[in-house]
Amino acid sequence: MQVVLLTLLALGLLVLLSLTPGPCQTPAGTEQPIVLENPLLRITVDGDTGAVLSIFNKRTGTEYLALRPDPKPPFIVDCYSANQAIYIRDPFEEQSGGFSRYNPAVSGQVKGDLSHRREAVEGGVRISQETTGAGSRVECVSRLPGGIVVTYSITVKPDSTLTEWRVRVENRGGEAPDRDQRVYRVAFPVLEGVRIGERHEDNFLARPYAQGELIPDPASYDFLRPKRTTPVFVLTYPGWASMSWMDQYAPGGGLYLASYDMSLQQVDLEAWPERAAGTMTLDMRTLAFLEPGEQWNSQVFAVGVHEGDWHWGADRYREWARQHHRAYTGPDWPRKECDGWFGTGGPTKRYSDFLTMYEDARWLGLNYLQIWSEMIENVGPNKERKPYYCFLWPDPDRGGEAEMTRTVRAIRAQGGHIGFYHNLWTWDADLAKGMEQWKEELPPDVHVPQWWGEARTWASVFPDGSRIAGNWAESPGTRYSGMCPAAEGYQDYILEWVLNRYVKRYGVDAWYFDSMPVTMFSAARICFSDEHGPHQPHGVGQGMLRLLERLHEGARPYVKLAVTSETVCDALMQYNSHALGLEYLEGISRYVKPEIYAYTWPEHAIYSGTCNGAGSGLKYYWPDVGDKPRREDVMNHVFLMGSRFDILMQSPIDRTDSFVQYLRKLIALRAAVKSDIYGADFRDEIGLGGLPERVYAKLFRRQDRAGLALNLVDRRKVRKGPFALTIDLEANDFSEPGEATLYEFDGRRSPLETKVENGRLTLTVPVLQGEVATIVIKRR
């Protein structure tokens, strides 16, 4: 543990030694603490250093920050010498697959290029306070070594539980030219000593890891992914962070931290446990690259105090995002009509096989095919397969462009939808060599990019200046090259295939981008290339959004293109129509909580079920299923959450198979009730009374308040019987309930009697005919 403490200090993160909560105590100094408050909260700032000493919830009487012996100001400036090359060699920049691999217990004492500065020079702090009718505000100016000046402010508004934090960084140049610094990133706000109440064991941390993660007692958690050895302290947005907010809460209320940034200049959401103190450090670290003579003004950060749990934070974030995100203008069918996709993750023998797949989809009750490995893949030595290839030309051995076009247009003529695949990041540096064996078949208007002089300039460059020139064969699965979506030439390449051929020529109306936005093993979260992008270095988020914008603009005269990706991210969902869920994949987290994203963004359609070995992580919801759950259990959970069905399986399907028949019934049940599920507010379990053990329910409320719906899964194996179900109507802003109907398999519909007393609706659920059902309650 001593190593961990020392290495956190090296990062600029304060060691939190005291476990004593309560009123703020100020270290000895010449200035009195500065207090910002309203009737709901109080924030106390050290008058000498600008450190945040206390965040106090007046409603619950709860202190949110533990005492620390030497509190620091709430910022960290990552910087390095401006006299070296622009590249950075530092353990803090180790990364893989979109994850930061930094672990302070292992590499925190290894010296790298970066300094993590927050200590002002002697006499270099100036603090002021002003109070007006609009609220009270403190501004702290800190002059750091190397000529870096940090100005941060905190504003507390009257009668608001949300406070506004901003920071400005000026890189004025060093005291002498040999001390000039480059600013790389800025962590702000850095909230240290976070512990709600007296017991860290009562705390929970909600963070947007994939579709959500809810960690009990985060100060004691190792932050390890299942079967992995590197902790996940850092989530990049856009990336593995699907949203830009976190919330830590306990019975004494919660602390909400959010970045309100529409420029998407790349933000890392960081959560650092301090086990000895039983506290957490929560911060947002933003890319803010500055040469000497430049300055940066941050986005707005929100810090809020509240009663209750993470749902409050989700409500606040949604309120902001719906006002500031771009309005979705894509097709409605993936969000409001479609119950799922049917498809394949591997190549078919012929493109005409898609017609058989479409017949299978229609028998199941679906009309959407999602096809991966549609491109030529036999490009290795002697035409060996390189899967999920970067060159999207249809394989001549499977029918080529002509058969692809006939098949796609036949499916579309029947009212079907069909989409194909491209991995946003992967590239074969040997592409030109591999395509030599196909040169006789290549149409004259198909361009094969060369590595040197062309594709290499699109490649992702890591902070240390390296790029990976992979060709798959050297290390299958991980050693393709990595591209950067901010490269305009790479965007042009993607659009030439997806837009000019697949949309315009072949007639597709959907597209899937794999690994978007999480990045792959050969690509960097922040790209240091000087050959592309808006500047050097640049985050990949802006590039992804620009690609999607160009794709939709180009497709609009031909089709409203449906675009999906792996996994969901609300920044991309401004353009994307739907997303592949990863919530059933074991390697994500032991504390998966997809309810967090579903509650925040109920209008975003998530397709889940079979991809990536899905089901291996179902044990983190229902431990009794073990490592090999029934496929029915996985699909039941998809149904419970209101998600759409991701069904990748071999075609033609065996229609006599019990699981296939079960799927068909499950999809039919969803189709019968989807008008009350899709586009409705996902209410999770808010206001629901207790349920029998192994019975699960999720609540949905129509946005027009015309009805409530409950999805039910009854996993009881014995002693099944009727049970009472209660709903707090006021908690769900639903009045005047009318008739209630139970929907089950095979078209069964049964009226249910309801009783309302003291604002609570009670109904009795009979013994279900199967494992799942939906109850729809109409407004009178």
Side-chain angles (χ1 to χ4, degrees), residues 231-272:
V232 182
F233 300 126
V234 179
L235 300 173
T236 296
Y237 176 81
W240 280 110
S242 57
M243 301 173 284
S244 57
W245 66 277
M246 299 185 284
D247 197 291
Q248 185 166 327
Y249 65 92
L255 179 67
Y256 167 75
L257 173 61
S259 166
Y260 292 163
D261 177 25
M262 284 311 300
S263 71
L264 296 170
Q265 52 200 321
Q266 208 82 1
V267 179
D268 282 351
L269 286 69
E270 300 182 342
W272 306 94

mmCIF file of all heavy atoms in Angstrom, residues 231-272:
data_model
loop_
_atom_site.group_PDB
_atom_site.id
_atom_site.type_symbol
_atom_site.label_atom_id
_atom_site.label_comp_id
_atom_site.label_asym_id
_atom_site.label_seq_id
_atom_site.Cartn_x
_atom_site.Cartn_y
_atom_site.Cartn_z
ATOM 1 N N PRO A 231 -6.175 -2.514 -13.867
ATOM 2 C CA PRO A 231 -7.409 -1.851 -13.423
ATOM 3 C C PRO A 231 -7.869 -0.780 -14.400
ATOM 4 O O PRO A 231 -7.079 -0.213 -15.160
ATOM 5 C CB PRO A 231 -7.000 -1.234 -12.077
ATOM 6 C CG PRO A 231 -5.516 -1.075 -12.166
ATOM 7 C CD PRO A 231 -5.021 -2.192 -13.018
ATOM 8 N N VAL A 232 -9.160 -0.517 -14.370
ATOM 9 C CA VAL A 232 -9.767 0.500 -15.234
ATOM 10 C C VAL A 232 -10.151 1.692 -14.361
ATOM 11 O O VAL A 232 -11.287 1.827 -13.917
ATOM 12 C CB VAL A 232 -10.993 -0.058 -15.980
ATOM 13 C CG1 VAL A 232 -11.577 1.003 -16.914
ATOM 14 C CG2 VAL A 232 -10.612 -1.297 -16.783
ATOM 15 N N PHE A 233 -9.171 2.549 -14.112
ATOM 16 C CA PHE A 233 -9.415 3.774 -13.360
ATOM 17 C C PHE A 233 -9.884 4.902 -14.271
ATOM 18 O O PHE A 233 -10.469 5.873 -13.807
ATOM 19 C CB PHE A 233 -8.133 4.236 -12.651
ATOM 20 C CG PHE A 233 -7.570 3.256 -11.662
ATOM 21 C CD1 PHE A 233 -6.257 2.837 -11.756
ATOM 22 C CD2 PHE A 233 -8.346 2.771 -10.623
ATOM 23 C CE1 PHE A 233 -5.716 1.947 -10.846
ATOM 24 C CE2 PHE A 233 -7.820 1.875 -9.698
ATOM 25 C CZ PHE A 233 -6.507 1.455 -9.815
ATOM 26 N N VAL A 234 -9.599 4.774 -15.574
ATOM 27 C CA VAL A 234 -9.791 5.867 -16.525
ATOM 28 C C VAL A 234 -10.746 5.430 -17.625
ATOM 29 O O VAL A 234 -10.578 4.364 -18.219
ATOM 30 C CB VAL A 234 -8.446 6.287 -17.147
ATOM 31 C CG1 VAL A 234 -8.649 7.413 -18.157
ATOM 32 C CG2 VAL A 234 -7.455 6.708 -16.064
ATOM 33 N N LEU A 235 -11.741 6.245 -17.899
ATOM 34 C CA LEU A 235 -12.678 6.020 -18.997
ATOM 35 C C LEU A 235 -12.643 7.235 -19.913
ATOM 36 O O LEU A 235 -12.861 8.364 -19.466
ATOM 37 C CB LEU A 235 -14.106 5.819 -18.474
ATOM 38 C CG LEU A 235 -14.352 4.644 -17.532
ATOM 39 C CD1 LEU A 235 -15.775 4.714 -16.973
ATOM 40 C CD2 LEU A 235 -14.124 3.324 -18.244
ATOM 41 N N THR A 236 -12.356 7.004 -21.191
ATOM 42 C CA THR A 236 -12.261 8.098 -22.153
ATOM 43 C C THR A 236 -13.620 8.373 -22.795
ATOM 44 O O THR A 236 -14.344 7.453 -23.151
ATOM 45 C CB THR A 236 -11.235 7.764 -23.241
ATOM 46 O OG1 THR A 236 -9.939 7.663 -22.640
ATOM 47 C CG2 THR A 236 -11.200 8.833 -24.318
ATOM 48 N N TYR A 237 -13.938 9.661 -22.934
ATOM 49 C CA TYR A 237 -15.171 10.087 -23.587
ATOM 50 C C TYR A 237 -14.827 11.010 -24.753
ATOM 51 O O TYR A 237 -14.110 11.993 -24.558
ATOM 52 C CB TYR A 237 -16.072 10.823 -22.609
ATOM 53 C CG TYR A 237 -17.346 11.385 -23.229
ATOM 54 C CD1 TYR A 237 -18.447 10.567 -23.434
ATOM 55 C CD2 TYR A 237 -17.433 12.721 -23.600
ATOM 56 C CE1 TYR A 237 -19.613 11.069 -23.997
ATOM 57 C CE2 TYR A 237 -18.589 13.235 -24.160
ATOM 58 C CZ TYR A 237 -19.677 12.403 -24.351
ATOM 59 O OH TYR A 237 -20.841 12.907 -24.915
ATOM 60 N N PRO A 238 -15.305 10.724 -25.973
ATOM 61 C CA PRO A 238 -16.031 9.520 -26.369
ATOM 62 C C PRO A 238 -15.106 8.303 -26.399
ATOM 63 O O PRO A 238 -13.959 8.404 -26.821
ATOM 64 C CB PRO A 238 -16.522 9.846 -27.776
ATOM 65 C CG PRO A 238 -16.378 11.328 -27.940
ATOM 66 C CD PRO A 238 -15.209 11.696 -27.086
ATOM 67 N N GLY A 239 -15.618 7.183 -25.970
ATOM 68 C CA GLY A 239 -14.836 5.956 -25.904
ATOM 69 C C GLY A 239 -15.555 4.979 -25.003
ATOM 70 O O GLY A 239 -16.768 4.787 -25.126
ATOM 71 N N TRP A 240 -14.822 4.372 -24.081
ATOM 72 C CA TRP A 240 -15.464 3.447 -23.153
ATOM 73 C C TRP A 240 -16.427 4.167 -22.214
ATOM 74 O O TRP A 240 -17.308 3.528 -21.621
ATOM 75 C CB TRP A 240 -14.421 2.673 -22.368
ATOM 76 C CG TRP A 240 -13.841 1.534 -23.139
ATOM 77 C CD1 TRP A 240 -12.571 1.426 -23.647
ATOM 78 C CD2 TRP A 240 -14.510 0.316 -23.511
ATOM 79 N NE1 TRP A 240 -12.409 0.238 -24.316
ATOM 80 C CE2 TRP A 240 -13.587 -0.471 -24.243
ATOM 81 C CE3 TRP A 240 -15.792 -0.184 -23.313
ATOM 82 C CZ2 TRP A 240 -13.902 -1.724 -24.765
ATOM 83 C CZ3 TRP A 240 -16.115 -1.420 -23.835
ATOM 84 C CH2 TRP A 240 -15.186 -2.183 -24.544
ATOM 85 N N ALA A 241 -16.274 5.453 -22.073
ATOM 86 C CA ALA A 241 -17.287 6.247 -21.356
ATOM 87 C C ALA A 241 -18.379 6.610 -22.345
ATOM 88 O O ALA A 241 -18.144 7.318 -23.326
ATOM 89 C CB ALA A 241 -16.674 7.502 -20.757
ATOM 90 N N SER A 242 -19.583 6.120 -22.094
ATOM 91 C CA SER A 242 -20.706 6.372 -23.003
ATOM 92 C C SER A 242 -21.337 7.735 -22.764
ATOM 93 O O SER A 242 -22.088 8.224 -23.617
ATOM 94 C CB SER A 242 -21.768 5.284 -22.843
ATOM 95 O OG SER A 242 -22.220 5.211 -21.496
ATOM 96 N N MET A 243 -21.061 8.344 -21.632
ATOM 97 C CA MET A 243 -21.567 9.671 -21.280
ATOM 98 C C MET A 243 -20.470 10.370 -20.484
ATOM 99 O O MET A 243 -19.460 9.754 -20.128
ATOM 100 C CB MET A 243 -22.862 9.564 -20.467
ATOM 101 C CG MET A 243 -23.993 8.827 -21.176
ATOM 102 S SD MET A 243 -25.455 8.541 -20.121
ATOM 103 C CE MET A 243 -24.873 7.178 -19.092
ATOM 104 N N SER A 244 -20.678 11.635 -20.152
ATOM 105 C CA SER A 244 -19.627 12.383 -19.458
ATOM 106 C C SER A 244 -20.089 12.818 -18.065
ATOM 107 O O SER A 244 -20.026 13.989 -17.716
ATOM 108 C CB SER A 244 -19.185 13.589 -20.290
ATOM 109 O OG SER A 244 -20.278 14.431 -20.593
ATOM 110 N N TRP A 245 -20.555 11.853 -17.270
ATOM 111 C CA TRP A 245 -20.920 12.155 -15.896
ATOM 112 C C TRP A 245 -20.686 10.950 -15.006
ATOM 113 O O TRP A 245 -20.639 9.806 -15.468
ATOM 114 C CB TRP A 245 -22.384 12.599 -15.790
ATOM 115 C CG TRP A 245 -23.407 11.545 -16.120
ATOM 116 C CD1 TRP A 245 -23.844 11.182 -17.348
ATOM 117 C CD2 TRP A 245 -24.127 10.712 -15.186
ATOM 118 N NE1 TRP A 245 -24.790 10.172 -17.263
ATOM 119 C CE2 TRP A 245 -24.983 9.870 -15.944
ATOM 120 C CE3 TRP A 245 -24.143 10.606 -13.798
ATOM 121 C CZ2 TRP A 245 -25.831 8.941 -15.352
ATOM 122 C CZ3 TRP A 245 -24.994 9.671 -13.211
ATOM 123 C CH2 TRP A 245 -25.823 8.861 -13.980
ATOM 124 N N MET A 246 -20.495 11.207 -13.719
ATOM 125 C CA MET A 246 -20.364 10.185 -12.679
ATOM 126 C C MET A 246 -21.170 10.634 -11.471
ATOM 127 O O MET A 246 -21.493 11.816 -11.321
ATOM 128 C CB MET A 246 -18.896 9.999 -12.261
ATOM 129 C CG MET A 246 -17.962 9.554 -13.351
ATOM 130 S SD MET A 246 -16.265 9.222 -12.726
ATOM 131 C CE MET A 246 -15.652 10.912 -12.521
ATOM 132 N N ASP A 247 -21.460 9.696 -10.599
ATOM 133 C CA ASP A 247 -22.213 10.021 -9.392
ATOM 134 C C ASP A 247 -21.817 9.051 -8.285
ATOM 135 O O ASP A 247 -21.882 7.832 -8.473
ATOM 136 C CB ASP A 247 -23.720 9.928 -9.659
ATOM 137 C CG ASP A 247 -24.547 10.632 -8.595
ATOM 138 O OD1 ASP A 247 -24.590 10.151 -7.449
ATOM 139 O OD2 ASP A 247 -25.142 11.674 -8.914
ATOM 140 N N GLN A 248 -21.379 9.594 -7.162
ATOM 141 C CA GLN A 248 -21.110 8.763 -5.979
ATOM 142 C C GLN A 248 -22.140 9.105 -4.918
ATOM 143 O O GLN A 248 -22.381 10.287 -4.626
ATOM 144 C CB GLN A 248 -19.697 9.024 -5.437
ATOM 145 C CG GLN A 248 -19.327 8.093 -4.273
ATOM 146 C CD GLN A 248 -17.844 8.097 -3.954
ATOM 147 O OE1 GLN A 248 -17.020 8.253 -4.845
ATOM 148 N NE2 GLN A 248 -17.503 7.901 -2.689
ATOM 149 N N TYR A 249 -22.758 8.078 -4.351
ATOM 150 C CA TYR A 249 -23.853 8.331 -3.423
ATOM 151 C C TYR A 249 -23.863 7.297 -2.298
ATOM 152 O O TYR A 249 -23.199 6.257 -2.358
ATOM 153 C CB TYR A 249 -25.204 8.322 -4.152
ATOM 154 C CG TYR A 249 -25.590 6.979 -4.729
ATOM 155 C CD1 TYR A 249 -26.366 6.079 -3.997
ATOM 156 C CD2 TYR A 249 -25.190 6.612 -6.004
ATOM 157 C CE1 TYR A 249 -26.723 4.846 -4.522
ATOM 158 C CE2 TYR A 249 -25.542 5.385 -6.545
ATOM 159 C CZ TYR A 249 -26.304 4.504 -5.792
ATOM 160 O OH TYR A 249 -26.653 3.280 -6.311
ATOM 161 N N ALA A 250 -24.620 7.622 -1.276
ATOM 162 C CA ALA A 250 -24.789 6.784 -0.089
ATOM 163 C C ALA A 250 -26.098 7.222 0.559
ATOM 164 O O ALA A 250 -26.794 8.109 0.028
ATOM 165 C CB ALA A 250 -23.594 6.956 0.855
ATOM 166 N N PRO A 251 -26.483 6.633 1.689
ATOM 167 C CA PRO A 251 -27.726 7.071 2.324
ATOM 168 C C PRO A 251 -27.782 8.566 2.625
ATOM 169 O O PRO A 251 -28.874 9.136 2.703
ATOM 170 C CB PRO A 251 -27.742 6.246 3.619
ATOM 171 C CG PRO A 251 -27.050 4.975 3.249
ATOM 172 C CD PRO A 251 -25.950 5.401 2.316
ATOM 173 N N GLY A 252 -26.634 9.235 2.753
ATOM 174 C CA GLY A 252 -26.628 10.680 3.007
ATOM 175 C C GLY A 252 -26.730 11.536 1.774
ATOM 176 O O GLY A 252 -26.551 12.753 1.851
ATOM 177 N N GLY A 253 -27.016 10.929 0.624
ATOM 178 C CA GLY A 253 -27.149 11.699 -0.600
ATOM 179 C C GLY A 253 -26.047 11.374 -1.582
ATOM 180 O O GLY A 253 -25.326 10.376 -1.437
ATOM 181 N N GLY A 254 -25.896 12.228 -2.597
ATOM 182 C CA GLY A 254 -24.945 11.927 -3.643
ATOM 183 C C GLY A 254 -24.210 13.151 -4.150
ATOM 184 O O GLY A 254 -24.643 14.292 -3.946
ATOM 185 N N LEU A 255 -23.091 12.890 -4.845
ATOM 186 C CA LEU A 255 -22.257 13.919 -5.451
ATOM 187 C C LEU A 255 -22.185 13.639 -6.947
ATOM 188 O O LEU A 255 -21.729 12.579 -7.372
ATOM 189 C CB LEU A 255 -20.856 13.902 -4.847
ATOM 190 C CG LEU A 255 -19.852 14.910 -5.412
ATOM 191 C CD1 LEU A 255 -20.274 16.333 -5.059
ATOM 192 C CD2 LEU A 255 -18.454 14.626 -4.885
ATOM 193 N N TYR A 256 -22.625 14.597 -7.739
ATOM 194 C CA TYR A 256 -22.709 14.491 -9.195
ATOM 195 C C TYR A 256 -21.589 15.311 -9.809
ATOM 196 O O TYR A 256 -21.363 16.475 -9.432
ATOM 197 C CB TYR A 256 -24.076 15.012 -9.631
ATOM 198 C CG TYR A 256 -24.281 15.292 -11.099
ATOM 199 C CD1 TYR A 256 -24.459 14.264 -12.009
ATOM 200 C CD2 TYR A 256 -24.366 16.613 -11.567
ATOM 201 C CE1 TYR A 256 -24.700 14.534 -13.359
ATOM 202 C CE2 TYR A 256 -24.615 16.889 -12.902
ATOM 203 C CZ TYR A 256 -24.776 15.847 -13.797
ATOM 204 O OH TYR A 256 -25.019 16.125 -15.121
ATOM 205 N N LEU A 257 -20.868 14.707 -10.769
ATOM 206 C CA LEU A 257 -19.786 15.389 -11.466
ATOM 207 C C LEU A 257 -19.962 15.164 -12.954
ATOM 208 O O LEU A 257 -20.048 14.015 -13.397
ATOM 209 C CB LEU A 257 -18.427 14.860 -11.002
ATOM 210 C CG LEU A 257 -17.186 15.345 -11.758
ATOM 211 C CD1 LEU A 257 -17.046 16.860 -11.657
ATOM 212 C CD2 LEU A 257 -15.937 14.645 -11.232
ATOM 213 N N ALA A 258 -20.004 16.260 -13.725
ATOM 214 C CA ALA A 258 -20.254 16.133 -15.161
ATOM 215 C C ALA A 258 -19.436 17.146 -15.933
ATOM 216 O O ALA A 258 -19.154 18.256 -15.456
ATOM 217 C CB ALA A 258 -21.733 16.323 -15.473
ATOM 218 N N SER A 259 -19.049 16.754 -17.163
ATOM 219 C CA SER A 259 -18.415 17.648 -18.126
ATOM 220 C C SER A 259 -19.447 18.005 -19.180
ATOM 221 O O SER A 259 -20.010 17.120 -19.821
ATOM 222 C CB SER A 259 -17.210 16.946 -18.773
ATOM 223 O OG SER A 259 -16.776 17.653 -19.921
ATOM 224 N N TYR A 260 -19.696 19.290 -19.336
ATOM 225 C CA TYR A 260 -20.659 19.765 -20.327
ATOM 226 C C TYR A 260 -19.878 20.337 -21.518
ATOM 227 O O TYR A 260 -19.721 21.548 -21.658
ATOM 228 C CB TYR A 260 -21.572 20.826 -19.720
ATOM 229 C CG TYR A 260 -22.525 20.316 -18.660
ATOM 230 C CD1 TYR A 260 -23.159 21.185 -17.776
ATOM 231 C CD2 TYR A 260 -22.807 18.952 -18.530
ATOM 232 C CE1 TYR A 260 -24.049 20.730 -16.817
ATOM 233 C CE2 TYR A 260 -23.690 18.487 -17.569
ATOM 234 C CZ TYR A 260 -24.304 19.374 -16.712
ATOM 235 O OH TYR A 260 -25.189 18.917 -15.754
ATOM 236 N N ASP A 261 -19.406 19.441 -22.368
ATOM 237 C CA ASP A 261 -18.493 19.822 -23.437
ATOM 238 C C ASP A 261 -19.019 19.326 -24.772
ATOM 239 O O ASP A 261 -19.028 18.130 -25.037
ATOM 240 C CB ASP A 261 -17.105 19.235 -23.171
ATOM 241 C CG ASP A 261 -16.125 19.535 -24.287
ATOM 242 O OD1 ASP A 261 -16.333 20.539 -24.995
ATOM 243 O OD2 ASP A 261 -15.163 18.770 -24.466
ATOM 244 N N MET A 262 -19.449 20.240 -25.617
ATOM 245 C CA MET A 262 -19.923 19.854 -26.939
ATOM 246 C C MET A 262 -18.832 19.919 -27.999
ATOM 247 O O MET A 262 -19.046 19.531 -29.137
ATOM 248 C CB MET A 262 -21.096 20.735 -27.351
ATOM 249 C CG MET A 262 -22.401 20.360 -26.654
ATOM 250 S SD MET A 262 -22.758 18.583 -26.733
ATOM 251 C CE MET A 262 -22.828 18.329 -28.497
ATOM 252 N N SER A 263 -17.630 20.398 -27.635
ATOM 253 C CA SER A 263 -16.537 20.394 -28.604
ATOM 254 C C SER A 263 -15.888 19.027 -28.694
ATOM 255 O O SER A 263 -15.141 18.746 -29.638
ATOM 256 C CB SER A 263 -15.483 21.432 -28.222
ATOM 257 O OG SER A 263 -14.767 21.034 -27.065
ATOM 258 N N LEU A 264 -16.142 18.163 -27.712
ATOM 259 C CA LEU A 264 -15.616 16.798 -27.690
ATOM 260 C C LEU A 264 -14.102 16.786 -27.905
ATOM 261 O O LEU A 264 -13.570 16.060 -28.731
ATOM 262 C CB LEU A 264 -16.334 15.926 -28.724
ATOM 263 C CG LEU A 264 -17.820 15.733 -28.447
ATOM 264 C CD1 LEU A 264 -18.499 15.083 -29.623
ATOM 265 C CD2 LEU A 264 -18.025 14.926 -27.183
ATOM 266 N N GLN A 265 -13.408 17.593 -27.098
ATOM 267 C CA GLN A 265 -11.959 17.690 -27.217
ATOM 268 C C GLN A 265 -11.255 16.580 -26.450
ATOM 269 O O GLN A 265 -10.046 16.596 -26.304
ATOM 270 C CB GLN A 265 -11.497 19.056 -26.718
ATOM 271 C CG GLN A 265 -12.014 19.437 -25.326
ATOM 272 C CD GLN A 265 -11.942 20.930 -25.077
ATOM 273 O OE1 GLN A 265 -10.993 21.571 -25.479
ATOM 274 N NE2 GLN A 265 -12.944 21.489 -24.433
ATOM 275 N N GLN A 266 -11.985 15.594 -26.000
ATOM 276 C CA GLN A 266 -11.496 14.368 -25.368
ATOM 277 C C GLN A 266 -11.340 14.569 -23.861
ATOM 278 O O GLN A 266 -10.505 15.342 -23.399
ATOM 279 C CB GLN A 266 -10.189 13.894 -25.976
ATOM 280 C CG GLN A 266 -9.987 12.394 -25.886
ATOM 281 C CD GLN A 266 -10.723 11.652 -27.015
ATOM 282 O OE1 GLN A 266 -11.350 12.243 -27.852
ATOM 283 N NE2 GLN A 266 -10.617 10.347 -27.022
ATOM 284 N N VAL A 267 -12.172 13.877 -23.121
ATOM 285 C CA VAL A 267 -12.180 13.966 -21.663
ATOM 286 C C VAL A 267 -12.029 12.576 -21.089
ATOM 287 O O VAL A 267 -12.684 11.632 -21.537
ATOM 288 C CB VAL A 267 -13.494 14.602 -21.152
ATOM 289 C CG1 VAL A 267 -13.503 14.672 -19.631
ATOM 290 C CG2 VAL A 267 -13.693 15.994 -21.735
ATOM 291 N N ASP A 268 -11.166 12.446 -20.096
ATOM 292 C CA ASP A 268 -11.046 11.196 -19.346
ATOM 293 C C ASP A 268 -11.761 11.349 -18.015
ATOM 294 O O ASP A 268 -11.487 12.288 -17.251
ATOM 295 C CB ASP A 268 -9.578 10.843 -19.091
ATOM 296 C CG ASP A 268 -8.898 10.253 -20.312
ATOM 297 O OD1 ASP A 268 -9.604 9.959 -21.293
ATOM 298 O OD2 ASP A 268 -7.666 10.095 -20.288
ATOM 299 N N LEU A 269 -12.698 10.441 -17.741
ATOM 300 C CA LEU A 269 -13.367 10.385 -16.443
ATOM 301 C C LEU A 269 -12.552 9.454 -15.558
ATOM 302 O O LEU A 269 -12.405 8.274 -15.867
ATOM 303 C CB LEU A 269 -14.797 9.856 -16.588
ATOM 304 C CG LEU A 269 -15.848 10.784 -17.201
ATOM 305 C CD1 LEU A 269 -15.597 11.044 -18.682
ATOM 306 C CD2 LEU A 269 -17.250 10.203 -17.005
ATOM 307 N N GLU A 270 -12.013 9.975 -14.476
ATOM 308 C CA GLU A 270 -11.074 9.221 -13.660
ATOM 309 C C GLU A 270 -11.637 8.994 -12.260
ATOM 310 O O GLU A 270 -12.245 9.886 -11.656
ATOM 311 C CB GLU A 270 -9.734 9.953 -13.573
ATOM 312 C CG GLU A 270 -9.107 10.151 -14.948
ATOM 313 C CD GLU A 270 -7.753 10.824 -14.919
ATOM 314 O OE1 GLU A 270 -7.414 11.447 -13.889
ATOM 315 O OE2 GLU A 270 -7.016 10.721 -15.921
ATOM 316 N N ALA A 271 -11.416 7.792 -11.749
ATOM 317 C CA ALA A 271 -11.859 7.417 -10.399
ATOM 318 C C ALA A 271 -10.710 6.667 -9.732
ATOM 319 O O ALA A 271 -10.364 5.557 -10.151
ATOM 320 C CB ALA A 271 -13.115 6.544 -10.471
ATOM 321 N N TRP A 272 -10.107 7.267 -8.709
ATOM 322 C CA TRP A 272 -8.927 6.712 -8.054
ATOM 323 C C TRP A 272 -9.270 6.369 -6.608
ATOM 324 O O TRP A 272 -9.560 7.256 -5.809
ATOM 325 C CB TRP A 272 -7.776 7.726 -8.079
ATOM 326 C CG TRP A 272 -7.441 8.254 -9.434
ATOM 327 C CD1 TRP A 272 -7.915 9.402 -10.005
ATOM 328 C CD2 TRP A 272 -6.575 7.648 -10.401
ATOM 329 N NE1 TRP A 272 -7.385 9.556 -11.266
ATOM 330 C CE2 TRP A 272 -6.559 8.505 -11.533
ATOM 331 C CE3 TRP A 272 -5.806 6.486 -10.409
ATOM 332 C CZ2 TRP A 272 -5.807 8.219 -12.670
ATOM 333 C CZ3 TRP A 272 -5.059 6.214 -11.545
ATOM 334 C CH2 TRP A 272 -5.057 7.064 -12.652
#
